[in-house]
Amino acid sequence: MLSITDFPSPTFVPVNGITLEVFEAGQENKGNPIVLCHGWPEHAYTWRQQMPALAAAGYHVIVPNQRGYGYSSCPSEVTEYDITKLTGDLASLLDHFGYRDAVFVGHDWGANVVWNLALLHPGRVRKIINLALPYQTRTEIPWIAMMEAFFGADNYFVHFNRQPGVADAILGENTPQFLRNLFRKNVPLAPPDPGMMMINLAKAKEPKGDPVMSESDLGVFIAAFEASGFFGSINWYRNMDRNWHILADVDPIIRKPALMIYGEHDIIPKSQNLVEFVPGVDVVSLECGHWIQQEKPAETTRAILDWLAA
């Protein structure tokens, strides 16, 4: 397992009109790439416990901080974070390394980007492994409008969109407390009343549940968000309705081999129709919450390697 002291130093890679902070392992395994995509509010460091084993198994492991995160570019326009930009960054990252395609692994928002990469750039995806977030089918009305109708204006997805800048500032003013409260094992991401959930977590004084990571590991996340702020990463949410329109005429079926890894105690529900839209999918469930690869690092790594070997 990598620690802070031996986590690789980043390189800064020009892609798609921006610069990404990229961490690598197994560079000697040229020709066998696997790209690991973090979620929100996370960092490439979330994959620290999978990187050595994947490199030892013969993979060139490529782990970017995606746009808006860490020391990667943080464009000032909200529309610079739509799904064409996020998937275009990953396709351009392959171009930089000289790869036609790769295995892509995503967690949370990173999973959403990987699913959509397979829709918008299918030739760049060899296999998919996604954690926590199953494939999200396109709804009859735009996603944020649908969430507002079902959950009300205080749902954090809706709040991020309808009150721009508010959450960014509050999370930024309470970064250590917010992240320390959020990264907990087997604690639902939402209380029974999820109104302004993330803001409530930022203001909560007493964390609940066991921490997902050590204070030194959490410090990597805290330092990264104190440097970047939350504006760029929250803009991923602010493009959800824009993405709904972008995907209107895209074939929704993913025709790639895929592995879906769920946390049994994650509040995100399992998909009831996943096989209809991802016919080549296998499913694994682990006894954990949302932060799968950090809560169950050995089991996650084993599930990934076993599926790739099969």
Side-chain angles (χ1 to χ4, degrees):
M1 180 178 73
L2 292 180
S3 66
I4 293 172
T5 55
D6 57 16
F7 193 70
S9 298
T11 56
F12 290 88
V13 177
V15 300
N16 201 25
I18 61 164
T19 300
L20 293 184
E21 181 184 23
V22 179
F23 302 83
E24 296 177 73
Q27 291 94 322
E28 68 277 7
N29 301 320
K30 188 71 176 174
N32 198 20
I34 187 167
V35 183
L36 312 182
C37 303
H38 63 77
W40 184 88
E42 295 190 88
H43 186 278
Y45 192 68
T46 194
W47 298 108
R48 64 196 175 279
Q49 299 183 80
Q50 285 71 49
M51 291 174 69
L54 290 170
Y59 288 92
H60 178 192
V61 187
I62 302 167
V63 192
N65 268 331
Q66 297 175 86
R67 66 169 65 200
Y69 288 86
Y71 293 99
S72 293
S73 295
C74 187
S76 60
E77 294 295 322
V78 172
T79 55
E80 287 295 298
Y81 298 84
D82 71 22
I83 201 64
T84 60
K85 297 292 186 181
L86 299 178
T87 58
D89 292 348
L90 297 181
S92 185
L93 188 61
L94 293 187
D95 293 339
H96 171 80
F97 287 104
Y99 292 130
R100 181 181 65 84
D101 59 14
V103 176
F104 281 88
V105 184
H107 170 254
D108 184 77
W109 248 110
N112 192 41
V113 176
V114 170
W115 291 126
N116 284 286
L117 180 68
L119 295 179
L120 297 173
H121 302 273
R124 312 313 299 268
V125 178
R126 189 178 304 169
K127 296 180 179 181
I128 296 167
I129 301 170
N130 276 334
L131 287 66
L133 187 72
Y135 177 65
Q136 303 296 290
T137 56
R138 191 171 178 274
T139 51
E140 291 187 4
I141 62 174
W143 282 302
I144 297 302
M146 181 199 70
M147 290 182 178
E148 188 168 23
F150 276 92
F151 303 119
D154 280 348
N155 175 267
Y156 76 98
F157 280 71
V158 180
H159 186 276
F160 286 171
N161 280 267
R162 305 297 189 236
Q163 299 190 46
V166 175
D168 318 40
I170 292 172
L171 301 188
E173 290 165 3
N174 300 278
T175 298
Q177 188 165 291
F178 168 57
L179 296 177
R180 191 169 286 115
N181 288 342
L182 182 64
F183 287 104
R184 296 278 155 179
K185 294 180 181 179
N186 296 332
V187 175
L189 288 179
D193 176 8
M196 296 195 300
M197 174 180 72
M198 295 302 174
I199 291 176
N200 292 340
L201 279 171
K203 294 180 176 180
K205 299 301 182 185
E206 295 296 328
K208 297 178 180 179
D210 296 327
V212 165
M213 62 187 104
S214 69
E215 276 294 311
S216 59
D217 287 334
L218 183 67
V220 175
F221 290 70
I222 292 171
F225 280 100
E226 287 181 337
S228 68
F230 287 87
F231 168 79
S233 63
I234 291 178
N235 282 341
W236 291 35
Y237 291 88
R238 295 183 179 128
N239 278 278
M240 288 183 66
D241 282 357
R242 179 179 173 87
N243 296 344
W244 185 89
H245 289 286
I246 289 169
L247 296 167
D249 298 320
V250 176
D251 179 359
I253 306 302
I254 293 178
R255 297 176 175 84
K256 300 290 178 179
L259 174 65
M260 179 66 221
I261 303 177
Y262 291 110
E264 278 293 324
H265 306 289
D266 195 345
I267 194 170
I268 296 176
K270 296 178 182 180
S271 172
Q272 300 302 307
N273 62 354
L274 184 61
V275 72
E276 295 176 28
F277 291 89
V278 191
V281 70
D282 294 310
V283 176
V284 169
S285 292
L286 300 179
E287 283 292 327
C288 62
H290 182 69
W291 314 108
I292 297 171
Q293 70 272 36
Q294 297 195 86
E295 292 185 48
K296 294 289 186 179
E299 293 88 340
T300 301
T301 303
R302 187 179 310 115
I304 291 171
L305 290 175
D306 286 351
W307 184 79
L308 288 171

